[in-house]
Amino acid sequence: MIYRGRFAPSPTGPLHAGSLLTALASYLDARANNGSWLLRIEDLDPPRTQPGAETSILKTLEAYGLEWDETVLRQSERLEIYREFCEQLLREKHAYHCQCSRSQLKARGAVKNYDGYCIQNPPNSGSPTAIRLRGGLSTPFDDRVQGVQQAEAVSDFTVFRRDGLFAYQLAVVVDDHLQNINQIVRGKDLLSETAKQGLLMQRLSFSQVTFYAHLPLILAEDGQKLSKQTLAQPVATTPDSIRTTLFKTLRLLGQEPPNHLIYNDLTDIHTWGIEHWNINKVPSDLSI
Ligand SMILES: [Zn+2]
């Protein structure tokens, strides 16, 4: 099997320490396995997209020497593709239209576990509807960092929202399939989404085997995940700070770079990282 991995940031702000850790780990894992490393911009949600963030992310990756293969994919340019797969799900009765508003779901206690209301009471045509996938039992999998994840019951969930946006779950599964991605290395905040994604893959008859590695998160002091909302600082891009940040990130990933490596140039740090990459050393959690 030829390794194909990817890094898929949302352009909601510049790269911070947490997203750099994900980028570096997925890059090293791909390169250590003679694989391809693709870049995908997950800009499906226009209100969350920050102008200039994509350019800033690409420039930072380049400055850190994280060179991607093939052309950059942008989800905002692929809406027609997602629409076709949504239609397939509807046609094959794996999904149905749902018109329930959030307040209606709340009133029925059906926010987390959908109660099937719109299967019994199909919505009127004309007004906007969401498209909801029928739930089911997910497939267990052995995460390369977090260990064995048991099968779980997944409730019916939306793949297309009433406000006209495709759900992240659908876009990711479709893109990974069409790009032949077979290794997903990403942050642990997405571990809980994997069951839904596996179920979607089954419903869409995507039969490729996908391996997962969910990386520990760098948390802010208050225990929250680093993000634009928690005002995570962008990673520095001066030559000295790039070397120091790469060195520190290797350490956070449980790799054990020798002290002198911090004084070496970028190429040496990359070479060391690829030659010594050992995903079994990556901790399942980080406490700093
Ligand atoms: Zn409904």
Side-chain angles (χ1 to χ4, degrees):
M1 189 180 72
I2 299 167
Y3 184 116
R4 284 177 67 84
R6 71 343 185 246
F7 175 56
S10 296
T12 53
L15 274 195
H16 54 65
S19 39
L20 180 74
L21 179 130
T22 302
L24 182 64
S26 61
Y27 172 83
L28 292 176
D29 198 56
R31 296 299 185 233
N33 288 287
N34 296 316
S36 300
W37 189 65
L38 278 60
L39 184 60
R40 181 162 76 222
I41 302 295
E42 300 198 332
D43 55 354
L44 264 188
D45 194 348
R48 291 186 62 234
T49 298
Q50 192 189 77
E54 180 191 322
T55 311
S56 154
I57 290 170
L58 300 192
K59 277 192 175 159
T60 307
L61 290 174
E62 278 171 350
Y64 275 77
L66 302 172
E67 288 175 16
W68 57 90
D69 301 309
E70 305 179 18
T71 45
V72 177
L73 216 70
R74 284 177 197 83
Q75 290 189 328
S76 58
E77 295 168 359
R78 299 167 61 76
L79 305 184
E80 262 322 297
I81 298 172
Y82 307 140
R83 197 177 314 280
E84 281 169 26
F85 281 100
C86 259
E87 276 162 16
Q88 178 187 326
L89 288 168
L90 285 170
R91 216 170 35 240
E92 295 177 356
K93 309 274 186 251
H94 292 311
Y96 54 90
H97 288 282
C98 169
Q99 215 167 27
C100 301
S101 65
R102 187 139 184 104
S103 55
Q104 287 170 328
L105 291 173
K106 262 191 179 165
R108 301 203 307 267
V111 175
K112 276 204 166 155
N113 286 303
Y114 188 68
D115 55 5
Y117 180 86
C118 291
I119 302 176
Q120 308 303 329
N121 308 280
N124 309 321
S125 56
S127 45
T129 56
I131 297 172
R132 202 177 269 279
L133 188 88
R134 289 174 191 268
L137 200 62
S138 70
T139 315
F141 65 98
D142 191 0
D143 189 90
R144 295 170 64 210
V145 174
Q146 305 296 332
V148 173
Q149 308 295 309
Q150 302 299 343
E152 57 181 280
V154 178
S155 166
D156 297 8
F157 63 95
T158 44
V159 289
F160 179 74
R161 293 167 21 180
R162 279 173 85 223
D163 60 7
L165 296 179
F166 290 97
Y168 161 77
Q169 317 289 0
L170 178 84
V172 165
V173 163
V174 166
D175 289 341
D176 284 335
H177 170 72
L178 294 177
Q179 291 190 292
N180 295 313
I181 301 294
N182 49 28
Q183 293 279 352
I184 296 180
V185 178
R186 62 185 179 187
K188 197 181 171 180
D189 51 323
L190 292 168
L191 181 60
S192 60
E193 304 300 321
T194 313
K196 289 180 186 167
Q197 291 168 15
L199 201 66
L200 248 176
M201 287 167 69
Q202 287 177 32
R203 303 281 195 250
L204 288 165
S205 308
F206 293 166
S207 56
Q208 83 263 34
V209 177
T210 306
F211 295 90
Y212 293 93
H214 285 90
L215 303 164
L217 302 179
I218 301 180
L219 301 177
E221 277 171 22
D222 59 359
Q224 298 293 307
K225 187 196 164 207
L226 290 185
S227 67
K228 205 182 76 182
Q229 287 74 26
T230 55
L231 299 176
Q233 294 297 312
V235 291
T237 50
T238 61
D240 276 353
S241 56
I242 287 175
R243 288 186 288 116
T244 314
T245 306
L246 276 177
F247 184 85
K248 284 185 182 165
T249 309
L250 280 172
R251 286 244 162 118
L252 285 175
L253 286 165
Q255 314 302 299
E256 293 157 346
N259 287 335
H260 68 79
L261 197 68
I262 203 166
Y263 304 109
N264 288 36
D265 64 22
L266 196 55
T267 316
D268 290 342
I269 301 177
H270 276 263
T271 307
W272 188 93
I274 294 166
E275 278 178 3
H276 296 84
W277 175 247
N278 184 351
I279 202 161
N280 297 322
K281 287 185 177 176
V282 176
S284 55
D285 278 300
L286 273 179
S287 48
I288 35 173

